[in-house]
Amino acid sequence: MAAIDEVSARPRSETAGFDPREADPPLSRETVAELERDLRTTVEGEVRFDDGSRALYSTDASNYRQVPIGVVIPKTVDDVIAAVSACRLHGAPLLSRGGGTSLAGQTCNVAVVVDYSKYLNRIIALNPEGRQATVEPGCVLDDLRDAAERHHLTFGPDPSTHDHNTLGGMLGNNSCGVHSVMAGRTADNVESLDILTYDGLRLTVGPTSPEELARIVAEDGRRGDIYRRLDALQRRYAELIRQRYPKIPRRVSGYNLDNLLPENGFHVARALVGSEGTCVAILGATLRLVPSPPKRAVMVMGFADIYEAGDAAVFVRERGCIALEAIDDKLIEFMKEKHKDMSQVAVLPEGKGWLIAEFGGDSEDEAAEKAEALKRDFAGWPHPPAIKICKSREDQDKIWKARQAGLGSTAFVPHHPEAWEGWEDSAVAPEKVGDYCRSLRALFDKYEYDSTLYGHFGDGCIHCRIDFGLRTRDGIAKWRRFMDEAADLVVSYGGSLSGEHGDGQSRAELLPKMYGPELVEAFSEFKAIWDPHGRMNPHKIVDPYPLTSNLRLGPDYHPPKIEGHFAYKQDHGSFAHAALRCVGIGKCRHHSESGEVMCPSYMVTREERHSTRGRARLLFEMMHGGAITKSWRNDAVEEALDLCLACKGCKGDCPVNVDMATYKAEFRSRYYARRLRPRAAYSMGLIHRWARVASHMPRLANTLAKTGIAKWIGGIAPERRMPAFAEQSFTDWFRARGPSPLSERRVILFPDTFNNYFRPRTAIAATRVLEAAGYQVEIPGRPLCCGRPLYDWGMLDRAKSLLHQIMDTLHEDIFRGVPVIGLEPACVSAFRDELPNLFPDNPIAEILSSQTWLLSEFIDREGEAFTLPRMSGKAVVQWHCHHHAVLKTEAEMRVLKRLGLDVEALPSGCCGMAGSFGFEAEKYDVSLAAAERVLLPRLRATDDDALVLADGFSCREQIEQNLPRETRHFAEVIAAAMGLE
């Protein structure tokens, strides 16, 4: 504990990679206090200057870290205007931020951060006839695309973060994505922008005809001055711009001064796209929409290596594809090592480097014929690639998931050095991709670096995540030398330092290599026209911080060594490394109906602190020290973790498998050490004790549980109906009815607290199913509990004691290999996940973990040996979060389909109950809102005769307490099918 407090108190001047420009606070404490007061007075939205909020916004998805002055979350455009006015009054820098997924450090700075994503996220207008849409800057890209698809239109640029990135961020970065082959960069799809300058001028900018330009430059005032100076700038540098700007699809580095040229329509809006918030704040945008082919065919080509795939890129692009991507064999190797879904890889043809080309058409035949034509064109090649044409949506989805998994699959690969961004998106002309990749690999070899090579080969953009050594001075110096040579290399190919993610701090210092000193001076002049005092996102692109400064890590980053309760095997046994695991791409911030669980509290609150990323950032800052004090006793960290449902959705859905439920348990074990926990921790966390007592007098217990005073004492929401204790527990029923029929095939049915004391019908049904199939069913000789409710409250010593009891009681049968069958997904996941994580060196724990099964998994494993009848009808399934994230749902789906049911898995994610979470008084509203997001509306619209299948006790309670629907457990459905009920 003391070690962490020392880290927290470390002076900022000792922070790794610290830049002299940040050595003193940009504003005095008095000025900051006055700024905060003025913002609170004039801004209707949220103003946050607390340490926790500042820590949340100290990093983006890059290698950089800068703690902001404060955060403003505007509700209206007037709030943005008021915020800029207050900053101007006090001379405070300002940083506009969207989804915070930038990889080059452009969305972290010592400034007032304006986060548009929570409220300013609407589609203002959509004009299908004119193929245009007007949006607010916080609008999520997929919200626009979904609305446009109703008219067979789309916004062309679509980065892999499309379900959670914001259009304001795309405008700031000049984002591209998979379909830029079809539609170009964001800049190419902008009609006009509604902008605000730091000095308070609001205006709409777009293309400017010569006549309009003449009128504007003749005006008095600030607008006329801006346009006069822009016109003079383009006249002075026009020839140099024409000469030095690479003529390639993915030139993203630098300012878009080429859009000010007369031949490009003096398009001021497009000139500002990609300026990374360094010139103006964007209040709104009118965007171009393009036709979206309704039918698609995907052709995958397997080559001998990624270089031959690169050689073929321009050949494929010329044949009319709407997307052209590439992945290499190392990416596939990393996916295997990280135990990713390998069904995606099974779709790939033979090869070690693959191109993925998508073709569109008005019909499936038209799209497929385009792919077939390309296949025929390859027939004349000396060594044609192996080819597979994917026409089914299922196979296409697998291919795209494999490609989109790139960043997550290359970060924190077991048994490999840490890999980082820094040179992740250089770009060349498509016809030079193969040779450039060969040269880039040679440069990697020279520096003894390793990396995958993948990306948007159709546009010449290469993605890679490289094992830079960013924790030592020698490693940073080596990285710096590499960056210089890499910049020289891409320039020698006529390419761009960045083909997608912008300059920020990663590459801005290298811009003179690409453009020369005169054009870099032109960039400074362009910024000064809009922002003469340099207050808009300072030291990004222009007058940049050194690329090795302001690093998150570095030689002075020495987090304390923690003797944690959990093993953290994937993080070298280090809680600090686990807190660093989040790479910031923000997949946890999506709100789509995808069937993914992560992150239910964020979907309700839209608060960064309630996303997996936000919580991970706070834990990292706690380990780092500086922004957050009091370490394990920090209330900001506890507040953020308090609304974590411990659903484990992030463990399954996060690209780098952040496991926030485990981190929360570890944190709370220390936060509440020698302190009283909230009342619900004792009423719900110790439910295994109370249930055991209540089983002796269930009627009295049920009567007391209904009273308001009992709910108040237990911290339970008055709106909640307490689950009723059964008149007879399952274990009492089991022992009263006599021994199970003898059989050589023995199984242990684990009587979890919920299916034992509250819903014994489920366990009785499972017993009958197993016995009817010829198994001898046994139960433990004493009451046991996995301790699942204890983890959420950090009662880990108690939980470990309960697990010890299980291992001691069952150890003989464990060593004999007797299967343990569980019915509650949360409990089975405790055996699979927490048990080996808490007892990493205990062979009994390892064996028990490997031979514990859900009933559905056990039946699926037995295959045809477990005879199932057929039944008809429709079943809608609500997966328990732990089933989705840890156990996986494929086995149960296979068994349900063997039964003959028409099964629909609801895309609702977490039900919102999550054990004790939904019962707690302070969390009832969030719990219900999570259920009302998808689950409850879908069930209201479901036919009354459809089965509602939910294995999780929490899910069943949430549904039955809010709808007049009965839920069934898988065991009950099987028993009914077999005529055993």
Side-chain angles (χ1 to χ4, degrees):
M1 192 79 89
I4 290 185
D5 292 338
E6 290 171 11
V7 172
S8 299
R10 185 179 61 211
R12 294 176 68 212
S13 58
E14 295 177 13
T15 303
F18 193 78
D19 188 82
R21 275 171 286 203
E22 200 185 338
D24 297 311
L27 304 175
S28 68
R29 290 185 178 181
E30 293 76 13
T31 302
V32 170
E34 292 171 3
L35 169 62
E36 180 182 2
R37 184 184 63 243
D38 287 351
L39 286 168
R40 293 189 183 281
T41 302
T42 58
V43 171
E44 179 189 358
E46 295 152 26
V47 176
R48 301 172 181 175
F49 276 57
D50 60 283
D51 289 345
S53 295
R54 294 168 60 238
L56 279 170
Y57 290 85
S58 63
T59 58
D60 48 18
S62 71
N63 296 324
Y64 299 99
R65 173 184 179 271
Q66 292 177 279
V67 181
I69 298 168
V71 180
V72 173
I73 304 176
K75 285 189 174 180
T76 64
V77 167
D78 286 344
D79 276 354
V80 182
I81 295 171
V84 173
S85 177
C87 287
R88 181 172 65 251
L89 178 65
H90 297 285
L94 185 134
L95 165 60
S96 294
R97 178 166 161 139
T101 61
S102 298
L103 286 164
Q106 54 265 66
T107 51
C108 54
N109 213 329
V110 183
V112 173
V113 174
V114 180
D115 181 350
Y116 298 84
S117 63
K118 185 175 181 180
Y119 298 115
L120 287 174
N121 52 29
R122 299 175 301 157
I123 300 170
I124 303 298
L126 197 152
N127 176 5
E129 292 76 21
R131 294 183 178 176
Q132 290 185 354
T134 300
V135 299
E136 293 179 324
C139 178
V140 170
L141 172 58
D142 268 5
D143 290 349
L144 173 60
R145 294 171 73 207
D146 290 346
E149 283 289 354
R150 300 185 192 115
H151 308 281
H152 304 296
L153 298 171
T154 191
F155 184 68
D158 57 342
S160 60
T161 52
H162 52 81
D163 66 352
H164 59 277
N165 70 6
T166 67
L167 285 154
M170 292 180 67
L171 291 162
N173 278 6
N174 197 8
S175 301
C176 304
V178 170
H179 288 98
S180 61
V181 169
M182 174 178 71
R185 307 164 302 166
T186 295
D188 305 316
N189 294 274
V190 170
E191 300 294 345
S192 65
L193 296 177
D194 178 7
I195 62 171
L196 178 70
T197 64
Y198 188 82
D199 54 13
L201 175 68
R202 182 179 180 182
L203 69 161
T204 299
V205 296
T208 318
S209 68
E211 296 78 17
E212 184 181 9
L213 180 59
R215 286 195 303 272
I216 295 174
V217 298
E219 292 177 0
D220 293 329
R222 179 76 167 112
R223 185 172 83 140
D225 179 61
I226 288 173
Y227 274 72
R228 279 192 297 275
R229 294 172 66 188
L230 290 175
D231 185 39
L233 179 74
Q234 70 87 10
R235 290 175 186 274
R236 187 162 62 255
Y237 291 102
E239 288 310 310
L240 200 56
I241 292 169
R242 294 184 183 106
Q243 292 169 16
R244 292 299 299 262
Y245 271 54
K247 306 300 188 293
I248 60 174
R250 286 293 192 95
R251 197 276 307 151
V252 170
S253 279
Y255 290 133
N256 291 331
L257 300 186
D258 53 332
N259 278 299
L260 295 177
L261 298 177
E263 60 265 31
N264 293 325
F266 200 83
H267 206 306
V268 178
R270 293 182 179 179
L272 286 167
V273 173
S275 57
E276 302 180 4
T278 61
C279 296
V280 298
I282 296 174
L283 306 178
T286 297
L287 307 172
R288 177 174 72 105
L289 303 177
V290 298
S292 177
K295 301 297 180 182
R296 311 288 174 97
V298 173
M299 178 170 162
V300 189
M301 296 145 274
F303 295 86
D305 53 41
I306 194 64
Y307 314 112
E308 287 192 13
D311 293 336
V314 72
F315 178 81
V316 177
R317 178 188 168 111
E318 289 170 349
R319 276 139 184 87
C321 56
I322 61 175
L324 181 53
E325 302 292 293
I327 55 178
D328 70 357
D329 57 333
K330 190 170 288 292
L331 179 60
I332 302 304
E333 174 192 330
F334 287 173
M335 289 179 66
K336 290 177 181 177
E337 293 189 35
K338 297 188 74 171
H339 305 292
K340 297 285 185 180
D341 181 3
M342 298 315 293
S343 67
Q344 301 165 8
V345 176
V347 184
L348 298 174
E350 184 179 350
K352 292 190 175 181
W354 294 269
L355 287 180
I356 305 166
E358 184 179 61
F359 295 89
D362 292 330
S363 67
E364 290 181 3
D365 288 343
E366 180 186 353
E369 173 52 32
K370 292 177 181 179
E372 293 287 356
L374 174 58
K375 183 177 181 179
R376 291 192 295 270
D377 288 345
F378 267 119
W381 279 44
H383 303 287
I387 290 175
K388 183 170 184 178
I389 297 176
C390 302
K391 299 178 183 179
S392 75
R393 183 63 180 268
E394 181 182 1
D395 283 349
Q396 291 179 20
D397 285 347
K398 288 178 179 177
I399 289 293
W400 289 125
K401 285 179 180 177
R403 165 59 187 88
Q404 291 174 0
L407 194 154
S409 297
T410 55
F412 302 112
V413 181
H415 316 299
H416 289 267
E418 295 171 341
W420 305 100
E421 56 273 12
W423 191 253
E424 70 280 351
D425 67 325
S426 54
V428 297
E431 60 268 21
K432 298 180 180 180
V433 168
D435 287 340
Y436 174 64
C437 285
R438 291 181 181 93
S439 297
L440 190 56
R441 175 64 66 190
L443 188 62
F444 292 162
D445 292 343
K446 175 181 176 180
Y447 280 86
E448 298 181 318
Y449 289 148
D450 195 11
S451 177
T452 57
L453 291 172
Y454 66 102
H456 313 289
F457 277 27
D459 270 349
C461 181
I462 315 302
H463 287 323
C464 49
R465 193 174 178 91
I466 306 170
D467 52 350
F468 301 125
L470 300 184
R471 292 177 181 264
T472 66
R473 296 189 189 281
D474 288 345
I476 292 171
K478 179 181 173 182
W479 170 48
R480 173 61 213 237
R481 294 193 301 273
F482 168 86
M483 292 293 283
D484 278 323
E485 285 202 51
D488 291 337
L489 175 65
V490 76
V491 170
S492 74
Y493 274 88
S496 176
L497 305 176
S498 172
E500 184 152 45
H501 297 134
D503 300 314
Q505 189 171 341
S506 289
R507 287 172 287 273
E509 192 183 1
L510 303 171
L511 286 172
K513 290 176 177 287
M514 177 176 170
Y515 289 106
E518 291 178 89
L519 280 181
V520 169
E521 178 58 30
F523 295 161
S524 297
E525 294 178 30
F526 181 75
K527 175 177 170 62
I529 291 170
W530 299 101
D531 178 33
H533 299 293
R535 296 291 189 268
M536 299 295 281
N537 202 12
H539 307 303
K540 308 293 167 130
I541 300 182
V542 169
D543 185 26
Y545 293 109
L547 65 88
T548 56
S549 65
N550 301 322
L551 294 174
R552 273 199 287 161
L553 305 182
D556 296 321
Y557 175 62
H558 298 296
K561 293 183 179 180
I562 307 299
E563 289 294 328
H565 289 276
F566 295 97
Y568 304 108
K569 286 185 177 180
Q570 298 301 315
D571 291 290
H572 319 297
S574 167
F575 178 82
H577 193 276
L580 178 64
R581 173 167 286 271
C582 174
V583 295
I585 59 176
K587 189 179 180 185
C588 48
R589 286 171 52 96
H590 81 97
H591 57 269
S592 58
E593 295 182 17
S594 63
E596 293 185 340
V597 171
M598 177 183 73
C599 181
S601 50
Y602 173 80
M603 293 181 199
V604 171
T605 69
R606 299 292 182 90
E607 283 280 354
E608 177 72 16
R609 72 179 69 241
H610 297 144
S611 68
T612 303
R613 181 180 72 179
R615 295 177 179 120
R617 287 289 182 256
L618 289 175
L619 289 170
F620 169 77
E621 289 292 332
M622 183 184 83
M623 293 285 99
H624 187 286
I628 286 184
T629 58
K630 298 183 181 177
S631 60
W632 296 103
R633 297 289 197 187
N634 188 272
D635 292 337
V637 180
E638 164 59 18
E639 179 188 348
L641 290 171
D642 189 44
L643 275 194
C644 167
L645 286 81
C647 65
K648 290 186 176 287
C650 48
K651 185 177 178 71
D653 296 339
C654 171
V656 292
N657 308 113
V658 167
D659 185 3
M660 195 52 61
T662 295
Y663 310 163
K664 176 184 181 180
E666 188 78 68
F667 174 83
R668 280 188 155 181
S669 72
R670 296 162 186 271
Y671 180 83
Y672 284 116
R674 299 179 297 280
R675 299 165 78 179
L676 283 175
R677 290 167 167 83
R679 297 192 302 276
Y682 304 102
S683 64
M684 304 298 287
L686 300 175
I687 188 64
H688 66 289
R689 286 189 179 181
W690 311 133
R692 198 176 304 167
V693 173
S695 68
H696 298 295
M697 42 186 175
R699 293 183 182 179
L700 176 60
N702 288 332
T703 300
L704 291 174
K706 294 176 183 178
T707 64
I709 186 64
K711 290 183 181 180
W712 182 86
I713 291 172
I716 307 302
E719 299 90 342
R720 282 294 182 196
R721 180 177 73 244
M722 294 303 295
F725 294 100
E727 290 288 325
Q728 183 185 40
S729 71
F730 163 70
T731 52
D732 286 346
W733 171 87
F734 189 90
R735 293 188 176 103
R737 61 120 202 196
S740 178
L742 295 178
S743 170
E744 293 182 357
R745 296 188 293 170
R746 296 173 56 223
V747 296
I748 295 172
L749 185 62
F750 188 80
D752 64 88
T753 297
F754 308 106
N755 287 307
N756 185 22
Y757 297 112
F758 295 98
R759 293 182 182 263
R761 280 182 53 190
T762 300
I764 292 170
T767 302
R768 289 172 174 162
V769 166
L770 289 164
E771 289 180 345
Y775 295 92
Q776 179 180 331
V777 179
E778 300 175 7
I779 62 173
R782 59 179 292 190
L784 297 174
C785 178
C786 69
R788 166 59 66 198
L790 299 171
Y791 300 110
D792 193 46
W793 292 105
M795 297 180 177
L796 297 181
D797 289 332
R798 292 176 186 262
K800 290 169 79 171
S801 176
L802 291 175
L803 291 174
H804 267 301
Q805 288 181 11
I806 293 172
M807 292 187 287
D808 290 344
T809 302
L810 302 180
H811 74 278
E812 289 187 9
D813 287 326
I814 292 170
F815 280 121
R816 288 173 182 160
V818 178
V820 177
I821 297 176
L823 301 172
E824 170 57 44
C827 297
V828 175
S829 79
F831 284 101
R832 293 270 185 87
D833 193 2
E834 277 82 5
L835 178 63
N837 206 357
L838 288 168
F839 300 95
D841 301 317
N842 188 320
I844 299 179
E846 183 178 349
I847 297 170
L848 178 57
S849 177
S850 67
Q851 64 191 40
T852 301
W853 310 87
L854 283 172
L855 177 62
S856 55
E857 292 178 313
F858 183 74
I859 293 174
D860 183 63
R861 188 187 75 150
E862 296 294 280
E864 298 303 322
F866 205 112
T867 304
L868 294 176
R870 300 284 291 178
M871 63 188 301
S872 60
K874 181 177 178 61
V876 292
V877 183
Q878 168 62 22
W879 298 121
H880 187 282
C881 297
H882 293 189
H883 197 164
H884 165 89
V886 177
L887 310 175
K888 307 306 179 184
T889 59
E890 291 82 358
E892 189 151 318
M893 283 294 285
R894 284 193 293 268
V895 177
L896 291 171
K897 289 180 179 179
R898 279 175 60 191
L899 285 172
L901 287 170
D902 176 15
V903 183
E904 177 193 0
L906 298 175
S908 43
C910 181
C911 73
M913 185 65 89
S916 68
F917 184 95
F919 284 98
E920 296 173 49
E922 296 81 4
K923 298 167 186 171
Y924 174 78
D925 290 342
V926 172
S927 171
L928 191 59
E932 288 288 1
R933 199 181 66 85
V934 178
L935 173 61
L936 298 183
R938 285 291 185 94
L939 289 180
R940 292 187 188 104
T942 300
D943 292 341
D944 292 340
D945 59 352
L947 285 172
V948 179
L949 195 152
D951 292 347
F953 178 81
S954 297
C955 307
R956 301 182 76 176
E957 286 296 317
Q958 184 76 296
I959 293 168
E960 293 179 2
Q961 292 203 22
N962 290 287
L963 295 177
R965 299 292 298 252
E966 181 187 9
T967 62
R968 306 297 297 275
H969 188 282
F970 172 84
E972 296 172 302
V973 172
I974 294 288
M978 297 174 72
L980 300 174
E981 280 195 330

